[in-house]
Structures are given as C-alpha cells and as structure tokens.
Amino acid sequence: MADVVQYRLERMVDELDDLESRGIFTRREIAEIVKQRRKFEYRLKRPSPLKQDFIAYIDYETQLDALRRLRKKAATRELLRQGKKKTKTRKSVSDFAPVSRIMEIYRLAVMRYKGDVELWFRYLEFCRQRKNGRMKKVLAQVIRFHPKLPGVWIYAAAWEFDHNLNVAAARALMQSGLRMCPNSEDLWVEYLRMELTYLNKLKARKVALGEDKGTLVRDKKDADEKQWKEENKDLFMSLDDEDKENNDHVSDEESEKKLDLFSEHASGLLKTVYSGAIQALPSSFSLRKQFLEILESIEVADSEELRSEILRDMKRDFSADPEYWDWLARLEMSDASITGEKNEDAMHSRLQMAVQVYEEAIEAVPSATMFKLYINFLLDAIASERGEVEAFSLSDHASSYISDILKVYEKAETTGCLTEELACQCISFYTQLGRLEEAKKVAENLCSGKLLDSVQLWLLRVSVEIRCITKDSLSSSKADALSIFELFRTVLTKMSISEAESLWIMALKFFANQKKSFEKLIELSLKAVAKYGGSENGFSLSSAVVNFILQKDGLKHAREVYKRFLALPHPGLALYKNCIELESNLASLGNEDSLVNTRKLYEAALATYDQDTSLWKDYHSVETKLGTSETAAAIYWRARKSLKDSAVDFTSPDQL
C-alpha cells in the first residue's frame, strides 16, 4: 500500500514544481498539499474505502483548483499593474493536472460504487462543466450499468442534442431508452419535446434565412394581433394598385403552405408518439394530461381534431376515475384563462359548464371521493370570488355557489355516499354561514342515521347545540343545560371510554361550573369505568375526573372521588399512578396523612399489578426519600420475591 501511495505522490512532482516556480503556492503550502494528498491516498487504498473518502478527496481537489485559478488571475493582474504587457502564456502541467486527478478519483469511485446513481451524475456534471472529452465514454458506462433508469437516457440524449447538436444520436438514445424503459412517462414526454424542439429549430432556421415566417410555438399575443387586423382590415388597405395586393396574397399563400408542412409534420409526429405512449402506458392518466398540455402550447395541423381525440380516449379509459372528472371540470376554467375571458359573466358561464361536468360525474361515478372533489371545487369558486371562504356576505354568483354546495351535500346523503368527513364538512359549512339552527337539524338527522357511531359528528353536534344556547348570552338556562346533559348522556352511554375521550373532556369542561350537572356526570363516569374498566395507560377517564375536581374543589373532595373509583372492580393502573403522584407530592411537603395514603395506594396497586417493575421501583424510591432504611429494604426484598427472574437486574436495594 505504501509503495503505491508513494508512486502516486511522485507522479505529482512536476505539477508541484510548476506551481512553485510560477509563484502560485509557496513551498510551505505545497508541503501541506502533499500531506493532505498522502492522507487521502491512504484512505483510498484501504481494503474497503468509503464513498465519503472519495467525495472528500474530490471536494479538496476542487477547492484547491479553484484557489489555484484565483491566484493565477491575481498574478496576471499584478503583472498588468506593473506595466508589463499581457502576453498569452501557454498552459503548463499545473493547468491540466487538477482536472485529470479529479477525473481519476471519480473513475475509481464509480467503479467501486457502480450502483450509486447520484455519484455517476456528479461525475457526468463535472465532465460537462469542464468540457472534458471523457464525457461520451462516461455516458456509455452509465447506460451499461443503469439501462433501466430513464433519467440516464434523458441526460445522455439532452447532452447529444444541446451540446453536440447531434439530433440523430439524441433520437437514437431516446428510442433505445423507450425500448428499455417503455413504462416511463418522463421518457415519452421528453422524447416528444425533443422532436418538437428540433422541428421548431428547423422552422426558426427557415425564418432566419427569409424563407418562412413564424414558429411552431403558440403565441397568444400574435394570434390576438392577427385577429384584430383581420377584423379591422379596412384600416390597413393599401393605396397602391391591386397588383401589389394580389402579389402579397400569393406570397402569403406560399408562406402558409410552407408553414403547413411543418405543422403537418408536427401533427404526425405527435400522433405517432401519442399512440405509442398510450399503448405502452394505457392506465397512465398523467401522461395523457402532459400530452394535452404540449398540444395546447404549439401550433400544429388539425390541433382541434387531435385535442378531441385525446379527450375522447381519456373519457373512454378513465370515466370511472373521479380524478379524471375533476380534471375535466377544472379544464373548463383553465380554458377561460387561456382564451382571456376575464369578465365576470364569462367566468360564471365557464363555471356553470364545469358544474355540468361535475353533475355528469356524480351520475357516472357516485362515490364519496367524487362528491368531495365537487364540493372542493365550489368552495374554491367562492374563495376566488370573495377572497376567503368565511366572507359570505355575498354577490349573486357566490350565493348560487352556496346553494349548489348545499344541494351537493343533499345528493351525497340521498345516494348513500355521505361519509363521516363529508358530514362534518357539511355541518361546519352551515355554521360558517351562521345558519346554526339548520346546522343543528342536519347534525341531529345525521347522528340518528348510519353515522350514529361517529365521534367527530357527535362532537360537532354538541358544539353546535352549545353555540345555539349561548349565542344570545354567555350562560345557559337550567332547561338548556339539562338538554345538553341528556345529549351527552345519550352518546357517552353508547361509546366506550377510549372512543369518546374528546366527548368526555368537552363534557367535563362544559359542566365544570354547574354543580348538579357535574355530579351527575361523575355518576355517569363511575358507571362507564365500572362497565369498561380503567385504563392501564393512555387516556384515563377516572384520572381526568379526579384532576378536574382537584382544581375545582380541592384535595379533600378529590380524595373522596378517587376512593369511589378505586372501589370499582378494575380501576386501572393509570388511576393508581395518578393518585400516587398526587399524594406523594403532598407527602414530600411534610404531610403525614399523604404518606400514609401513598403507601395504601401502592399496596392496593401491587395487589393487582405485582409484576410491574416500575411500580416496585417507584415504591422503593418513595420509601428511600420519605420513609426509613428498614421500610425501603423491606420493599426491596418483597420485590425480589415477587418479581423472581425479573429481579436478576437488581443486585442491591440501592440499585432497585
């Protein structure tokens, strides 16, 4: 290894001597360069060099070469400042060696890590930037190692097309890529773009030679100007004789024929590539969209016929896909922006056409996704008209959009496509409109139907009910509070504690300051815990109730309530831990009663959860801090006896 490294360093002597003789680096700097290179060379000669070793070496050499070039320019400016004439000097070995060395490191790296595509592309980019002659060889190697990677073929074809101006080679690469990767959307699209770009360049060349006019690229400004001139041709009548007019007419016809040749060629090319693409990728919706976008950006013969054909094919193949219908409807609006229809009535008529597409869609594809896309479209229309969805004090058009949205929600319900998400969205929409009574009725109907078990829907219903009774005053009457409590009772008795977590929290907050209702809620929670059992971890209803009472009524009342929960058959480990934390915090402040209660709670918990190691550790920790050494040791030996094999981790009471 040392011999190989020494040999490679000796080959750098001429370069380093040249750098010193030209005054670019000092002898001390050159010594540091040699030191760094030796370190990198040893890394590369290890049995298994890392990719990062190669990258670090390349980065170092790149920065060193950048510094060399800066110093060379500074030396040249200094000579000019001294009055010496600038002479064109021949490049020396130090000008060529850095690039050659970096290329060699890249070669070693990619041969070591052939499967690293990112490394290959770094290598290619370096060759391209430095205009190195090895570019073609590297491209061939990448294609050989990664023939199934579409990006490699696109990169190689782009280099041949843009750098070498070799259209035949670029076309051959693209076609080879399509044979190797026929399922790549990017390859099909880029191949079409390349061929159309080539045609456009040929057209531009004709224009530059004065043999033709215009390009294949669609220019809306020119089209509008031409249309205006045709409509106002009387303003441009020539004052000369009619022969000149006839000659101009003939020349225009000839130019149109020439233009048609390119347009027809582009049209035929697009048809050929399109047919091949849909044959290779019949289920790709995005590919069809990209072809249509390309068609609309250029001028080709029979463009309308081509557009209609693509749209017919899309409807035939994707009529069962909600995404297709959503795209088709939004295409109506995008067509309005392309044609420049910006006045309100034109945009409204376009939007009505889009609505008709959605109406056809929900008949063809009655699904929750389709209804959701339809509603989102109408919400976007309102947002664009008013600036934000909440601003509903409204124009006539926005009011019609709102009525359309409400009708869509009704259709979704009647067709059985109303999901939990759409139902919640519907109720929220009513509340945004300020129509709380209607929101209340809709929520009531939905909660009594097939969405009876939806927690989010019940949350919305309860929140709407609360807003209805508190909209005129901050406090609610006894009758209103009773109706809200009965609503909570209805849903909380149907659902398990884990499912109705958010509803329990809402109920505790709402009735916190209503003594009688809160006491009823405690009784309801006791029944729920008795029915479903307490939680071992996660949300604990009993702990939440105890914490609410502790904040509201103090410690004494909290103790009374948690004792009632602990008297139930399965209060849950989470409640024990919560109560232990409450009492131990007070015990650490010197409260003797709390220490007694803490021990009772630990003993009660260990009677059920005697295999819980963390519980034994916590108990021992409390006794160590607040009890005596005898009580702590007693807990340790009890833990050893109870845990048996698990106690192997504990070697002494201090480590328990």
Side-chain angles (χ1 to χ4, degrees):
M1 181 194 299
D3 293 341
V4 175
V5 171
Q6 186 62 30
Y7 171 73
R8 292 179 63 85
L9 291 174
E10 286 175 358
R11 294 185 62 188
M12 304 174 191
V13 171
D14 292 340
E15 173 199 355
L16 297 173
D17 288 342
D18 187 53
L19 290 172
E20 184 180 3
S21 63
R22 297 174 71 178
I24 295 177
F25 291 116
T26 64
R27 180 173 290 275
R28 185 174 180 180
E29 289 173 329
I30 289 174
E32 182 62 27
I33 291 170
V34 172
K35 179 181 176 182
Q36 291 296 325
R37 286 179 176 173
R38 178 179 285 109
K39 180 181 71 174
F40 285 120
E41 290 290 344
Y42 271 112
R43 285 184 182 178
L44 299 191
K45 290 302 174 184
R46 292 187 297 181
S48 298
L50 302 175
K51 175 187 171 182
Q52 192 56 39
D53 296 334
F54 292 100
I55 298 297
Y57 198 180
I58 290 168
D59 290 342
Y60 173 76
E61 289 293 340
T62 303
Q63 294 170 9
L64 184 65
D65 187 47
L67 178 60
R68 180 194 63 79
R69 284 185 276 121
L70 284 174
R71 289 193 177 182
K72 183 179 177 182
K73 289 180 181 179
T76 304
R77 287 196 300 268
E78 182 63 23
L79 291 174
L80 288 174
R81 190 181 64 80
Q82 293 175 2
K84 296 181 180 181
K85 292 184 178 179
K86 183 178 180 181
T87 58
K88 187 174 181 180
T89 58
R90 294 178 62 185
K91 290 188 176 181
S92 62
V93 64
S94 62
D95 295 309
F96 299 105
V99 175
S100 299
R101 184 177 301 104
I102 294 172
M103 295 286 290
E104 179 63 16
I105 300 168
Y106 267 122
R107 187 189 67 81
L108 294 172
V110 295
M111 288 300 104
R112 180 75 186 181
Y113 297 97
K114 297 182 181 69
D116 195 317
V117 179
E118 181 185 357
L119 193 58
W120 278 106
F121 275 108
R122 283 189 62 164
Y123 190 9
L124 289 169
E125 278 299 296
F126 182 80
C127 293
R128 185 184 63 81
Q129 291 170 2
R130 296 304 178 94
K131 299 179 181 178
N132 191 275
R134 203 186 291 183
M135 179 74 171
K136 202 156 191 172
K137 182 180 178 181
V138 178
L139 280 172
Q141 289 178 320
V142 178
I143 290 172
R144 186 170 76 250
F145 289 122
H146 300 282
K148 295 294 185 181
L149 194 66
V152 170
W153 295 101
I154 294 171
Y155 189 97
W159 183 76
E160 289 286 359
F161 187 82
D162 297 327
H163 182 267
N164 283 354
L165 305 179
N166 191 340
V167 179
R171 184 180 291 117
L173 282 167
M174 277 293 192
Q175 290 172 354
S176 298
L178 288 172
R179 284 192 291 271
M180 296 300 297
C181 312
N183 296 326
S184 170
E185 293 183 20
D186 292 338
L187 261 177
W188 284 106
V189 172
E190 292 305 321
Y191 177 50
L192 178 60
R193 290 187 192 278
M194 187 191 75
E195 292 288 5
L196 292 175
T197 302
Y198 177 57
L199 276 180
N200 200 48
K201 284 186 175 182
L202 291 179
K203 179 66 179 173
R205 181 175 178 273
K206 289 280 187 181
V207 173
L209 295 174
E211 299 176 8
D212 213 335
K213 65 178 182 178
T215 63
L216 294 176
V217 179
R218 192 185 299 274
D219 192 335
K220 181 180 175 298
K221 183 178 179 182
D222 292 343
D224 293 343
E225 183 178 350
K226 183 178 179 181
Q227 181 182 358
W228 183 81
K229 285 184 177 181
E230 288 178 356
E231 292 173 354
N232 300 274
K233 58 184 178 181
D234 294 340
L235 301 176
F236 298 94
M237 289 294 291
S238 174
L239 299 177
D240 297 334
D241 55 351
E242 295 181 358
D243 293 338
K244 183 177 179 182
E245 181 181 350
N246 292 333
N247 291 334
D248 291 342
H249 184 66
V250 171
S251 63
D252 288 343
E253 286 183 354
E254 293 176 353
S255 180
E256 286 294 329
K257 289 180 181 178
K258 293 177 182 178
L259 179 61
D260 288 342
L261 291 175
F262 284 97
S263 298
E264 288 174 5
H265 194 174
S267 177
L269 177 67
L270 201 149
K271 286 180 182 178
T272 303
V273 178
Y274 171 72
S275 61
I278 63 171
Q279 186 176 358
L281 293 163
S283 61
S284 175
F285 179 61
S286 60
L287 182 63
R288 314 283 182 97
K289 289 196 294 183
Q290 291 182 77
F291 271 101
L292 195 62
E293 290 170 3
I294 292 173
L295 175 62
E296 291 176 346
S297 65
I298 61 174
E299 292 183 357
V300 298
D302 304 326
S303 61
E304 288 300 321
E305 182 181 339
L306 276 171
R307 186 176 189 272
S308 300
E309 180 184 351
I310 294 175
L311 289 174
R312 281 197 305 271
D313 291 346
M314 293 174 78
K315 187 170 185 179
R316 180 195 65 205
D317 297 335
F318 303 104
S319 58
D321 187 358
E323 183 188 355
Y324 160 73
W325 291 101
D326 184 56
W327 170 82
L328 187 63
R330 291 179 184 273
L331 185 64
E332 296 290 344
M333 302 304 295
S334 62
D335 286 345
S337 61
I338 291 172
T339 55
E341 298 177 10
K342 294 296 184 182
N343 62 80
E344 186 177 351
D345 292 333
M347 292 296 291
H348 181 64
S349 63
R350 283 283 183 175
L351 190 136
Q352 290 304 314
M353 294 172 65
V355 167
Q356 291 176 8
V357 174
Y358 277 113
E359 290 293 333
E360 183 182 353
I362 60 176
E363 294 294 330
V365 192
S367 63
T369 304
M370 193 68 255
F371 279 102
K372 181 180 178 181
L373 293 171
Y374 189 3
I375 291 167
N376 289 341
F377 173 78
L378 292 174
L379 288 173
D380 291 342
I382 296 175
S384 63
E385 175 136 349
R386 298 298 302 169
E388 56 179 9
V389 180
E390 280 81 11
F392 289 119
S393 52
L394 298 164
S395 67
D396 295 335
H397 291 327
S399 299
S400 68
Y401 302 156
I402 290 173
S403 63
D404 289 340
I405 290 174
L406 298 178
K407 289 177 183 176
V408 174
Y409 281 124
E410 292 175 4
K411 285 184 180 179
E413 185 178 4
T414 55
T415 55
C417 297
L418 193 69
T419 60
E420 179 183 5
E421 182 182 0
L422 282 176
C424 294
Q425 194 179 24
C426 177
I427 297 170
S428 300
F429 187 70
Y430 272 110
T431 56
Q432 286 177 336
L433 292 172
R435 295 155 68 168
L436 294 177
E437 291 298 328
E438 292 179 68
K440 178 180 175 181
K441 291 178 182 177
V442 170
E444 186 176 352
N445 291 333
L446 293 175
C447 286
S448 59
K450 68 174 186 178
L451 298 174
L452 179 65
D453 297 329
S454 171
V455 176
Q456 292 299 320
L457 199 57
W458 277 102
L459 273 172
L460 275 175
R461 181 183 175 184
V462 172
S463 63
V464 169
E465 294 274 1
I466 292 172
R467 287 183 64 177
C468 286
I469 66 175
T470 58
K471 63 180 180 180
D472 297 326
S473 61
L474 295 177
S475 60
S476 57
S477 64
K478 291 183 179 179
D480 292 333
L482 182 60
S483 66
I484 295 294
F485 182 81
E486 290 301 322
L487 189 61
F488 271 116
R489 183 201 295 274
T490 301
V491 61
L492 293 177
T493 53
K494 289 180 180 178
M495 298 182 183
S496 66
I497 295 173
S498 58
E499 291 175 333
E501 173 184 347
S502 49
L503 283 165
W504 279 108
I505 297 298
M506 178 184 283
L508 290 170
K509 289 180 179 178
F510 183 76
F511 295 113
N513 297 320
Q514 302 178 32
K515 186 175 181 180
K516 290 184 178 180
S517 297
F518 195 80
E519 289 176 355
K520 291 180 182 178
L521 192 63
I522 293 174
E523 296 297 329
L524 201 62
S525 66
L526 286 165
K527 292 179 181 179
V529 173
K531 180 179 180 181
Y532 297 105
S535 172
E536 304 301 321
N537 48 48
F539 173 71
S540 171
L541 173 60
S542 49
S543 298
V545 172
V546 170
N547 290 335
F548 262 93
I549 293 174
L550 180 65
Q551 295 175 6
K552 189 170 72 75
D553 299 326
L555 178 62
K556 183 178 179 180
H557 195 191
R559 277 178 179 160
E560 294 174 359
V561 173
Y562 83 60
K563 287 178 181 178
R564 294 177 67 186
F565 278 110
L566 291 175
L568 297 175
H570 303 287
L573 181 60
L575 176 63
Y576 278 115
K577 289 185 175 181
N578 185 70
C579 297
I580 287 169
E581 182 181 4
L582 187 155
E583 296 289 358
S584 61
N585 288 336
L586 291 173
S588 62
L589 298 176
N591 191 319
E592 292 295 331
D593 293 338
S594 293
L595 181 58
V596 173
N597 290 332
T598 302
R599 287 171 174 159
K600 289 180 180 179
L601 288 168
Y602 270 119
E603 294 296 336
L606 289 170
T608 307
Y609 305 100
D610 61 334
Q611 296 301 308
D612 191 303
T613 307
S614 62
L615 199 61
W616 282 108
K617 286 184 178 181
D618 292 340
Y619 193 6
H620 178 267
S621 177
V622 169
E623 290 295 345
T624 302
K625 293 177 182 177
L626 305 176
T628 63
S629 58
E630 290 81 4
T631 56
I635 298 300
Y636 168 75
W637 292 112
R638 283 178 60 196
R640 287 290 300 268
K641 184 177 179 181
S642 178
L643 295 173
K644 296 180 181 178
D645 294 340
S646 301
V648 73
D649 297 333
F650 309 134
T651 56
S652 70
D654 295 333
Q655 295 177 347
L656 183 63

